[in-house]
Amino acid sequence: MTDGFTCTDKETLITYLYGECDPAERRLVESHLAGCAACAQEIEAFGGVREALAAWAPPERAAGFRIVAEEAAQPPEVRTATVLRPRRWWQAPVPGLMRAAAAVLLFAAGAAVANLEVRYDKDGLVVRTGWMRSDDGQAAAPAVVPVSTPATTPAQWRADLVSLERRLTDRFDQRLVSSTPATQPGGAGGVRPVDERVFLSRVEDLIAQSEQRTQREMAYRISELNGEVSAQRIADLRRMEQGLGATGAEALQNRQMINYLLTVSQKK
Amino acid sequence: MDPPGGSLQDGTGLGVTDEDLVARSVGGDTESFNELIKRWEKPIFALAYRTIGREEDARDVCQETFLRAFRALPGFKGQAKFSSWLYRIALNLCRDWLRRERRAPIVPTPEGVDLVELAGEGEGVEGVDDAVVRRDLSRAVARAMRALPEEQRTAVLLKEYHGLTFQEISEMLSCPLSTVKTRLYQGLTVLRRELERNGIQTTARPGGKSAPRRPAAGQARAV
């Protein structure tokens, strides 16, 4: 450099451009630039390029990660494993409304099976299982179960018992009266007693029909319930996926980092 | 080649050099290493971003750089500056990324950049019009940088945005000093051509000859 600066000495020109020349070199370059338009223009253009380069800024957001100690890294890894494992559908949490709806449906199905009738009147709370009733009204009397009666005194008890006895006697008498005409038409060749076996088989028939009906209804309700449950489950899963979608990449990144940290700590 | 703001004046690490923090980190103090991350994550991310051109991948490279450094810390004997060592790891990872992706760096398009935010980055008060000009210029620069061969681009990045000396770049890239200078010259020549092709004037500015910028000026803009 002591014998001057030439236009071909680009290394020195660059050193000058970035201010890394020693004073002697700088003086040589400056005196050359004063007399050489091409080199002066080049150095000016490079200055302009450098100004333009300054406009290119990276995003400002900080990466925001840090190294964590070994013992702190362990539990999240364990937790991550349990969180990331997909749940089976029956383990998925059922929303409250769905649970309530299921309870109502189950109750309705149960009531349908029993053909239940619940009544509360002056006789107290009456629970009646209706499938013992016949369509033509000739079947056995409905089973009436008084669940509770109003509080009574012993005198009332006695009066009740007497009235009950009277009612039973009346009913028995009525039954005798009503059965007499039924036996009369067939009584030309002799009175034929009511065949209890026929009556029983008819009752059994009715019971079987009723059971079939309730089973069909129950199957229908269960399939309906199942459909609703699966639709809700799909909707919930979709919502969860949407919720996880935004953070999926972050979760993956965090997981990778934790894995690295674990390997590092194991090596240590 | 100190980090922006200097290696000694940084918040909690007041008066503590990188080398001190490295020594403590080797001794098992993870908080010291976190302090090193705090000092260097911005420059490393900036280098990765300008090399790769994709923000998310640049973050991955940045994170990977520190993780690799943390793992290799016991083997770091202080033969180079910690920052040079970090830069080298980051550059290797960027090169791996570019080769793996088998493509040129992506031109980052700052369309998503908020103009108000962009205006806020400038020195003093900058209007929205100026911010728009700067955004367009930023895009043109990113496009021009893509035209550079990898070696020239790396030299320009390290010199312009990280304020490294020619000697430091030469050591980091393990190549002669003259090669670094030649790459810089060639890189600036290509950039000048590309910018002028895109209508960016580099010479016809009022004020005539531009004074050579001091390395510290480049360093101040590093991130």
Side-chain angles (χ1 to χ4, degrees):
Chain A
M1 277 307 301
T2 50
D3 51 344
F5 174 83
T6 60
C7 295
T8 54
D9 189 1
K10 301 304 183 188
E11 288 177 27
T12 306
L13 190 72
I14 282 293
T15 315
Y16 170 78
L17 180 70
Y18 285 97
E20 288 189 37
C21 285
D22 56 47
E25 273 181 329
R26 192 169 64 241
R27 275 194 299 276
L28 280 174
V29 175
E30 279 171 355
S31 64
H32 175 82
L33 289 176
C36 177
C39 285
Q41 195 187 18
E42 187 165 48
I43 205 88
E44 185 192 337
F46 283 170
V49 169
R50 295 189 66 201
E51 274 187 19
L53 290 179
W56 188 23
E60 278 292 310
R61 199 153 51 90
F65 62 89
R66 60 202 309 276
I67 299 290
V68 289
E70 193 175 334
E71 56 275 12
Q74 196 70 31
E77 172 62 23
V78 175
R79 280 204 299 275
T80 306
T82 56
V83 168
L84 290 184
R85 190 175 58 218
R87 281 190 175 189
R88 312 301 301 169
W89 67 267
W90 61 82
Q91 292 173 322
V94 182
L97 271 176
M98 244 179 74
R99 267 181 281 181
V104 168
L105 279 173
L106 279 176
F107 180 75
V113 170
N115 203 0
L116 201 66
E117 185 185 329
V118 182
R119 187 158 48 84
Y120 185 77
D121 54 15
K122 61 181 169 50
D123 296 331
L125 182 66
V126 175
V127 181
R128 188 198 300 266
T129 53
W131 50 269
M132 291 294 288
R133 283 178 297 185
S134 66
D135 290 337
D136 54 9
Q138 286 186 357
V144 179
V145 185
V147 172
S148 67
T149 53
T152 52
T153 60
Q156 284 173 321
W157 265 103
R158 227 172 285 122
D160 283 348
L161 281 172
V162 170
S163 73
L164 179 65
E165 193 183 358
R166 196 177 301 138
R167 268 158 57 193
L168 284 171
T169 316
D170 289 346
R171 188 165 289 185
F172 187 66
D173 290 342
Q174 277 174 11
R175 182 67 54 88
L176 278 179
V177 170
S178 65
S179 65
T180 308
T183 55
Q184 277 176 348
V191 175
R192 200 163 51 140
V194 177
D195 192 348
E196 282 189 7
R197 280 174 302 181
V198 172
F199 178 74
L200 275 176
S201 72
R202 196 191 295 170
V203 170
E204 279 168 3
D205 265 2
L206 288 170
I207 291 172
Q209 281 173 13
S210 176
E211 271 182 353
Q212 277 181 351
R213 228 181 11 250
T214 51
Q215 275 174 359
R216 271 201 303 273
E217 193 170 356
M218 186 143 178
Y220 168 72
R221 287 190 193 278
I222 284 174
S223 70
E224 207 176 37
L225 175 68
N226 190 36
E228 281 182 28
V229 167
S230 60
Q232 186 63 36
R233 186 175 62 84
I234 288 164
D236 284 347
L237 282 175
R238 201 154 292 163
R239 210 175 306 134
M240 278 165 65
E241 271 174 16
Q242 282 173 353
L244 286 174
T247 57
E250 276 178 35
L252 186 65
Q253 204 175 336
N254 287 340
R255 198 156 182 223
Q256 282 172 346
M257 183 172 175
I258 288 164
N259 286 340
Y260 277 125
L261 289 174
L262 275 178
T263 49
V264 168
S265 58
Q266 278 162 6
K267 277 180 186 174
K268 276 179 79 182
Chain B
M1 216 174 74
D2 289 337
S7 62
L8 307 181
Q9 283 85 34
D10 200 335
T12 54
L14 191 68
V16 181
T17 63
D18 285 353
E19 283 62 38
D20 291 338
L21 290 170
V22 167
R24 288 185 205 167
S25 303
V26 172
D29 179 10
T30 50
E31 279 314 305
S32 291
F33 195 79
N34 283 328
E35 177 60 28
L36 287 168
I37 293 177
K38 211 162 91 182
R39 285 182 181 187
W40 289 101
E41 68 170 334
K42 276 192 170 188
I44 295 295
F45 168 70
L47 179 65
Y49 175 76
R50 289 192 179 102
T51 306
I52 290 171
R54 204 201 295 253
E55 187 177 343
E56 284 311 312
D57 290 323
R59 286 193 197 289
D60 286 348
V61 164
C62 180
Q63 188 171 305
E64 178 75 10
T65 300
F66 283 101
L67 285 167
R68 288 203 180 185
F70 185 73
R71 273 189 286 179
L73 213 52
F76 175 65
K77 304 295 179 197
Q79 61 274 30
K81 274 174 136 183
F82 174 73
S83 52
S84 302
W85 186 59
L86 264 187
Y87 275 125
R88 199 190 306 222
I89 295 172
L91 285 172
N92 284 337
L93 287 170
C94 287
R95 193 180 303 138
D96 289 349
W97 188 91
L98 289 172
R99 286 185 186 156
R100 197 171 56 242
E101 298 292 314
R102 291 181 181 283
R103 60 183 171 199
I106 297 151
V107 178
T109 50
E111 274 121 344
V113 175
D114 184 6
L115 286 179
V116 177
E117 190 182 305
L118 197 67
E121 287 170 12
E123 289 174 6
V125 180
E126 184 183 34
V128 172
D129 287 347
D130 291 338
V132 170
V133 169
R134 203 151 66 89
R135 186 188 63 181
D136 292 345
L137 188 58
S138 169
R139 205 176 297 172
V141 168
R143 206 175 298 129
M145 287 291 280
R146 197 171 59 159
L148 296 183
E150 187 187 324
E151 290 170 338
Q152 291 175 20
R153 188 172 57 242
T154 303
V156 170
L157 288 179
L158 292 174
K159 190 70 189 154
E160 279 295 329
Y161 298 104
H162 299 273
L164 271 65
T165 63
F166 289 115
Q167 186 63 40
E168 285 169 333
I169 297 173
S170 152
E171 285 166 9
M172 190 183 298
L173 303 180
S174 304
C175 63
L177 200 57
S178 58
T179 306
V180 176
K181 290 177 182 175
T182 305
R183 285 178 188 171
L184 242 306
Y185 175 79
Q186 289 168 341
L188 288 179
T189 306
V190 174
L191 285 173
R192 176 189 177 187
R193 189 189 65 213
E194 290 296 317
L195 288 173
E196 285 176 354
R197 186 184 290 172
N198 283 303
I200 312 289
Q201 286 298 316
T202 55
T203 50
R205 287 170 299 113
K209 196 157 75 176
S210 64
R213 210 165 298 186
R214 292 158 62 89
Q219 181 187 321
R221 309 191 303 266
V223 291

